[in-house]
Amino acid sequence: MPHAEPVAAVPTDAALIAAWQGGDEPAAAELVRRHARALARFLASAGAPDADLDDLVQETFIRAFRGVGRFRGQCRFRTWLLTIGGNVLKDAARRARRTKVVALPDELRATDGDPHERAVAGEAEGRLREGLGRLSRMQREVFLLRAQHGLEYEEIAAALGTSPGAARVHYHHAVKRLKEYVA
Amino acid sequence: MNEHELEKLAQRLGARAAERLDVERTAHAVVTRLREAPRVSVATRVSMQPAWLKVAATVVLLLAAGAVTRALWRSQGLASAGGEPAAAGLSDLSTDQLQQLLEIVDKPTDEAAPAYPAEASLDDLTAHQLRELLRSLEG
């Protein structure tokens, strides 16, 4: 009879956070590996320029690890991380307005895939990105947390410091306005 | 476009940018940065403030110091130079004026008026109280 290999238990985010607070650097690195891409997607959707994405992801993790004592488990670590990312992006946008950096459009910056296909796909995405840029910050973050990351209104509300009902209203306002842009 | 299609589009948004992210390099960079600067001290936070904030803080400190100095200077000036001229000025008052002054001193105080002791004589008044009395006489 074949002997089943014991499966190593995957540590939870909470366990990794506790380990990091105890000085375990590999635990911090593992949390970055788990959540970096989701964070990058959120930041890119919310308007982060490609060229700054790596820096913004790093900065978000640095802030999160330094302020991890304030994380009380009111939502998932990833959700909390995304809201910190929103703050980091807002600060970066404020600095960028002072330095007046002109970002290239996505179609010019992207270098992978078929150019025509990329252009067609990029058109709708570009309109959505533009629409997102015109929403209020709360509407934008609620929409992305719900539509892109599939979170429930209760968790979104806990992360953004609002009520589930208000989060629902923000989401529907966002959808209504985005439909006008993308249509 | 309906809501479902919008959500699908949102799920694709940023995916290419996220794929280009070198996660291992990011993890290494984050850990290195945390190791090099584990916590920002208060002194470091102050040194990291923008220049305008430092200038504003300096101006506020200077204004506060100026206000304190001025208050101290005024109180010392009143204590040292305020008494004698006020007292000396009494000799220049006419009999009627002195009578009015005494009436005011003898008058019972109310909440709005300065708190002079009812039985106090002119000698018992402080330089500040005398100055207020003289000012009230002058109308």
Side-chain angles (χ1 to χ4, degrees):
Chain A
M1 183 175 166
H3 183 71
E5 286 286 324
V7 179
V10 178
T12 62
D13 284 353
L16 290 171
I17 290 167
W20 150 248
Q21 287 178 304
D24 185 359
E25 286 182 352
E30 178 57 26
L31 283 167
V32 176
R33 282 186 207 101
R34 277 187 192 182
H35 303 295
R37 284 202 200 285
L39 174 62
R41 203 151 59 93
F42 176 81
L43 291 171
S45 306
D50 274 9
D52 298 341
L53 198 56
D54 189 30
D55 286 343
L56 292 169
V57 168
Q58 283 186 34
E59 183 59 30
T60 303
F61 275 109
I62 296 287
R63 279 198 206 180
F65 284 130
R66 285 187 180 147
V68 80
R70 293 193 298 274
F71 177 59
R72 303 270 179 245
Q74 64 273 34
C75 56
R76 277 177 287 182
F77 177 71
R78 175 176 289 188
T79 311
W80 185 68
L81 190 67
L82 298 181
T83 62
I84 294 174
N87 290 332
V88 169
L89 186 58
K90 185 188 74 175
D91 293 345
R94 197 185 296 139
R95 283 196 301 273
R97 274 198 295 275
R98 286 204 293 268
T99 52
K100 292 186 177 177
V101 173
V102 179
L104 292 171
D106 249 14
E107 302 82 69
L108 297 180
R109 279 183 279 146
T111 55
D112 53 337
D114 174 62
H116 176 70
E117 189 182 316
R118 200 172 62 225
V120 171
E123 196 181 343
E125 288 184 18
R127 286 201 299 269
L128 178 57
R129 199 189 305 271
E130 188 187 331
L132 283 167
R134 290 172 188 266
L135 297 180
S136 71
R137 185 181 163 198
M138 183 65 98
Q139 286 176 351
R140 181 168 53 248
E141 293 191 0
V142 168
F143 176 80
L144 287 174
L145 290 174
R146 173 90 180 154
Q148 191 176 66
H149 295 271
L151 300 184
E152 298 295 333
Y153 289 118
E154 286 73 16
E155 184 163 11
I156 295 171
L160 296 178
T162 186
S163 67
R168 189 185 296 270
V169 170
H170 284 305
Y171 180 78
H172 285 290
H173 277 302
V175 167
K176 190 179 170 194
R177 291 187 63 187
L178 290 172
K179 278 181 184 174
E180 292 167 9
Y181 279 107
V182 179
Chain B
M1 177 174 281
N2 62 32
E3 188 174 327
H4 180 68
E5 289 169 333
L6 193 64
E7 286 177 356
K8 286 275 181 199
L9 188 59
Q11 284 161 17
R12 289 205 303 270
L13 206 60
R16 285 197 303 269
E19 282 304 313
R20 284 196 290 271
L21 187 76
D22 186 340
V23 173
E24 275 307 318
R25 198 178 71 84
T26 302
H28 179 72
V30 168
V31 170
T32 304
R33 283 177 64 185
L34 287 169
R35 192 185 305 144
E36 286 171 355
R39 296 277 171 204
V40 181
S41 67
V42 174
T44 314
R45 276 176 196 272
V46 169
S47 71
M48 284 165 63
Q49 300 299 324
W52 65 267
L53 202 56
K54 289 179 192 167
V55 170
T58 308
V59 168
V60 168
L61 282 175
L62 285 174
L63 286 175
V68 169
T69 308
R70 191 159 170 252
L72 285 172
W73 178 79
R74 284 186 70 186
S75 64
Q76 284 176 353
L78 282 174
S80 63
E84 287 75 9
L90 287 174
S91 59
D92 296 327
L93 296 178
S94 67
T95 311
D96 288 340
Q97 285 174 320
L98 278 171
Q99 188 62 41
Q100 281 182 318
L101 182 60
L102 285 171
E103 281 171 12
I104 291 169
V105 169
D106 289 337
K107 209 188 301 178
T109 59
D110 58 37
E111 281 184 6
Y116 309 123
E119 63 281 8
S121 70
L122 287 175
D123 291 337
D124 294 327
L125 297 179
T126 64
H128 181 66
Q129 288 169 326
L130 279 170
R131 186 181 287 269
E132 283 189 6
L133 278 173
L134 288 170
R135 201 175 291 134
S136 70
L137 280 174
E138 287 167 7

